[in-house]
Amino acid sequence: MDLFELTRALVDIESVTNNEAAAGEFLFRHISPLAAKYGGRVERMEVEAQRFNLFASWGKPVVTMSTHMDTVPPFFPSREDDTYLWGRGACDAKGIIAAMISAAEKLLAEGVSDLGLLFVVGEERNSAGARVAAETPRGSRYLINGEPTENKLCVASKGALRFEVTAKGSLAHSGYPELGSSAIYTLLDVLNDVRRLPLPEDSLLGKSTLNIGTISGGRAPNVVADEARAEIMFRLVGDAAPVRAAVHKAVAGRVEVREVLHTPVFHFSALDGLPTTVVAFTTDVPTLHETWGTPFLIGPGSIRVAHTAEERIAKQELRDAVEIYASMVKRLFVSNAEAQGTLR
């Protein structure tokens, strides 16, 4: 498969978070001949039943290129025109997977080895795959993580703080609401107060933001609701502690608040000659960097169309990404040799 065929083949495999197995098996079959041809190996890193990361390596990896296999819902298949490849995951992050594999193939054909490919599950939800990978490192000194940054090197990314909020009430006939207590009303009151919280700002990353992502609850239109739930996420520009404290103060014990995810703000290194950007999303890098090496974040595609019904990736950006990844790997090999004192 060429670069575009591989991207479309991956997009056409539904791999919404928790359902990544088919994509992982496809990648295992696709990469295995490349591993065999150049003396590498491919392995499944088990995360949980029917879920695994995929790691391919040649030699002892100095540089690992990594991104995620899972996507957000809803799934929709690929299509293409002269300029773009379309479909769920086209830019986040299946086009990136294809570009990284193509870059690895290019490097191996040129005689470059000591590199790895790590494709993980669960990035879109809770970094489950990254947590497992962090506990089982493979000696890599540098990590090139792929997310849609329009092929610009990210120098800083926002953090994330996610809560599940649960309100309790008591059932009653809706004709006699005074006999019950609506969990939905309580939840709406709490969410309204949380929405009014002043949030921190940062000169580089901008404003912290809040998204109320899901709301559910109740049993029927003619029943006063005894339970209601919401999931909320803050995009952080600094320390999580003041935001966490503000949420609990605003809630004032009216509902149960459970923190389910915290990803800190992260600052990256730059490489001379590559344009830079900052991003408002979070990645697996804060989970992986301590055991997989000095991280860099870059990838083709725009985050502005990721997670939307218009998700797409420009074909030229994909081509460019292959060259960018290959060039970065070579430069990082030189940096490693200089650090080890082996460059002559």
Side-chain angles (χ1 to χ4, degrees):
M1 293 184 181
D2 68 17
L3 176 63
F4 301 153
E5 290 170 337
L6 179 54
T7 299
R8 289 197 62 177
L10 286 165
V11 169
D12 286 335
I13 301 170
E14 188 267 295
S15 61
V16 171
T17 307
N18 295 320
N19 193 37
E20 303 99 338
E25 293 294 352
F26 171 87
L27 285 168
F28 187 92
R29 293 191 302 271
H30 182 81
I31 297 172
S32 289
L34 185 64
K37 182 177 180 179
Y38 293 103
R41 62 190 299 263
V42 188
E43 61 178 295
R44 299 174 180 87
M45 290 182 175
E46 185 175 355
V47 175
E48 57 188 39
Q50 302 302 311
R51 300 183 76 198
F52 58 88
N53 301 330
L54 195 76
F55 180 62
S57 59
W58 294 265
K60 296 180 179 180
V62 171
V63 183
T64 297
M65 293 182 283
S66 177
T67 190
H68 57 96
M69 296 183 278
D70 64 317
T71 71
V72 298
F75 167 77
F76 55 97
S78 70
R79 61 184 176 88
E80 68 178 290
D81 55 34
D82 291 342
T83 305
Y84 294 103
L85 300 176
W86 303 71
R88 176 59 75 227
C91 69
D92 191 15
K94 293 181 175 180
I96 294 171
I97 292 175
M100 287 180 167
I101 293 172
S102 298
E105 188 168 10
K106 173 182 173 65
L107 289 163
L108 291 165
E110 294 173 0
V112 177
S113 60
D114 294 338
L115 62 95
L117 294 169
L118 174 66
F119 303 131
V120 301
V121 301
E123 188 274 345
E124 295 289 6
R125 185 67 180 174
N126 58 8
S127 292
R131 291 200 303 271
V132 169
E135 295 170 356
T136 53
R138 296 295 190 267
S140 179
R141 297 180 181 275
Y142 300 95
L143 178 73
I144 300 175
N145 193 249
E147 292 287 353
T149 67
E150 300 176 14
N151 281 335
K152 297 175 183 178
L153 197 63
C154 179
V155 294
S157 63
K158 286 186 178 181
L161 185 62
R162 180 157 59 89
F163 297 98
E164 291 179 355
V165 183
T166 304
K168 299 292 186 180
S170 57
L171 296 170
H173 191 292
S174 66
Y176 303 87
E178 69 277 7
L179 299 180
S181 174
S182 174
I184 290 176
Y185 287 175
T186 300
L187 180 66
L188 291 176
D189 289 344
V190 167
L191 293 178
N192 188 52
D193 290 342
V194 171
R195 289 182 63 198
R196 296 174 183 273
L197 290 174
L199 297 176
E201 300 185 20
D202 178 79
S203 59
L204 177 63
L205 286 166
K207 298 180 179 180
S208 301
T209 58
L210 165 67
N211 182 56
I212 300 173
T214 68
I215 297 179
S216 60
R219 298 176 183 271
N222 58 346
V223 179
V224 173
D226 62 329
E227 185 178 61
R229 297 161 298 282
E231 294 176 293
I232 65 175
M233 177 178 279
F234 294 89
R235 298 290 180 172
L236 304 173
V237 299
D239 184 11
V243 176
R244 186 183 289 119
V247 169
H248 284 283
K249 183 177 180 181
V251 164
R254 291 173 290 171
V255 296
E256 177 188 348
V257 178
R258 185 169 74 91
E259 183 175 323
V260 293
L261 176 72
H262 171 228
T263 304
V265 171
F266 201 89
H267 294 269
F268 297 84
S269 301
L271 281 177
D272 292 342
L274 288 174
T276 61
T277 188
V278 297
V279 299
F281 55 81
T282 58
T283 74
D284 281 332
V285 169
T287 304
L288 291 170
H289 78 100
E290 289 187 359
T291 53
W292 283 81
T294 302
F296 299 86
L297 181 66
I298 188 169
S302 171
I303 196 65
R304 297 181 183 278
V305 296
H307 299 195
T308 75
E310 301 299 316
E311 185 169 354
R312 61 190 181 272
I313 192 164
K315 292 179 176 179
Q316 187 57 52
E317 276 193 48
L318 269 178
R319 294 189 193 99
D320 293 343
V322 174
E323 301 302 320
I324 290 169
Y325 287 141
S327 174
M328 287 181 68
V329 169
K330 291 177 182 178
R331 291 178 65 181
L332 292 173
F333 279 166
V334 171
S335 295
N336 182 66
E338 290 174 341
Q340 301 297 313
T342 59
L343 185 66
R344 292 178 171 85

